[in-house]
């Protein structure tokens, strides 16, 4: 019983960290896309829509399947998100270079250029946002199956840990990490 409690606490700490890193990704995506789209309000709007929409899509997709080992799949999804974060800066700079040097000169109309930039920006972050959306249902399902706890209590504790992690993550990244490590370094640390 005591061992089960320690394992459960470890999962809550893990989900706290997941919330912290997820919100760090979101804030960094806003900074990166601000440079690409040319305006911070455009970037904030797009990232917020894609982040929240991706969370919803990922959660919905995950709910459509009965996963035999949800905690294993959770670990794989978190690993994929981490790999995505580790590669993000390199991928972003390459995509921006290709876009500005090869794609944008092909378009004559400003509206077409803006649409292309928004589509490219969306494709850079939507896959990770969808993956982030799958983490909550996978963790909830896995822990409900593994531990004898009331579902309502478990879900609320997981939601608290994840949300509290997000609050801590945005504070730490916004007031310290970005100043110390820059965008690429903060993304690497979160990944």
């Amino acid at each position: 019983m005591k061992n089960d409690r320690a394992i459960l606490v470890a999962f809550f700490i893990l989900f706290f960290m997941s919330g912290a890193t997820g919100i760090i990704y979101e804030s960094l995506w806003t900074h990166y896309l601000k440079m690409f789209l040319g305006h911070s309000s455009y970037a904030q709007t797009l990232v917020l829509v894609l982040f929240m929409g991706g969370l919803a899509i990922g959660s919905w997709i995950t709910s459509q399947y009965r996963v035999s080992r949800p905690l294993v799949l959770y670990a794989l999804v978190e690993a994929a998100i981490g790999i995505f974060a580790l590669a993000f800066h390199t991928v972003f700079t390459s995509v921006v270079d290709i876009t500005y040097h090869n794609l944008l000169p092909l378009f004559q109309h400003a509206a077409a250029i803006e649409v292309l930039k928004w589509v490219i920006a969306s494709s850079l972050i939507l896959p990770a946002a969808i993956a982030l959306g799958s983490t909550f249902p996978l963790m909830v399902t896995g822990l409900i199956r593994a531990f004898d706890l009331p579902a309502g209590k478990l879900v609320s504790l997981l939601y608290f840990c994840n949300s509290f992690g997000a609050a801590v993550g945005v504070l730490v990244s916004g007031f310290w990490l970005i100043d110390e490590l820059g965008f690429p370094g903060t993304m690497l640390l979160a990944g």
Side-chain angles (χ1 to χ4, degrees), residues 4-186:
D4 284 352
R5 184 175 172 84
I7 292 170
L8 191 59
V9 168
F11 277 112
F12 287 130
I13 292 169
L14 181 66
F15 214 51
F16 169 89
M17 296 302 296
S18 177
T21 56
I23 207 72
I24 290 171
Y25 302 145
E26 180 188 7
S27 73
L28 289 173
W29 292 337
T30 301
H31 290 293
Y32 275 97
L33 294 187
K34 173 175 52 176
M35 294 183 286
F36 181 57
L37 297 174
H39 200 286
S40 63
S41 63
Y42 293 163
Q44 289 171 341
T45 301
L46 182 62
V47 169
L48 182 60
V49 167
L50 292 174
F51 187 75
M52 298 305 290
L55 292 178
I57 293 167
S59 182
W60 177 78
I61 290 171
T62 305
S63 74
Q64 301 303 303
Y65 300 97
R66 175 147 173 84
V67 178
S68 62
R69 300 181 67 194
L71 293 176
V72 171
L73 185 55
Y74 170 83
L76 293 172
V77 169
E78 286 285 7
I81 295 165
I83 291 167
F84 177 85
L86 295 175
F88 185 80
H89 179 78
T90 303
V91 170
F92 176 81
T93 54
S94 298
V95 167
V96 168
D97 285 346
I98 291 168
T99 301
Y100 278 108
H101 293 106
N102 301 98
L103 296 176
L104 295 184
L106 300 175
F107 294 89
Q108 301 297 319
H109 299 288
I113 290 171
E114 289 304 311
V115 168
L116 177 66
K117 286 169 62 176
W118 280 63
V119 167
I120 290 170
S122 298
S123 68
L124 285 170
I125 63 173
L126 186 59
I130 291 171
L132 284 165
S134 71
T135 60
F136 190 79
L138 288 171
M139 180 66 87
V140 167
T141 303
L143 292 185
I144 284 175
R145 290 183 191 169
F147 297 94
D148 186 28
L149 288 174
K153 182 176 182 178
L154 180 66
V155 169
S156 63
L157 285 171
L158 282 172
Y159 192 77
F160 167 79
C161 289
N162 196 253
S163 298
F164 188 59
V168 170
V170 77
L171 289 173
V172 169
S173 70
F175 289 106
W176 183 62
L177 286 176
I178 292 173
D179 285 342
E180 293 296 320
L181 304 175
F183 299 149
T186 303

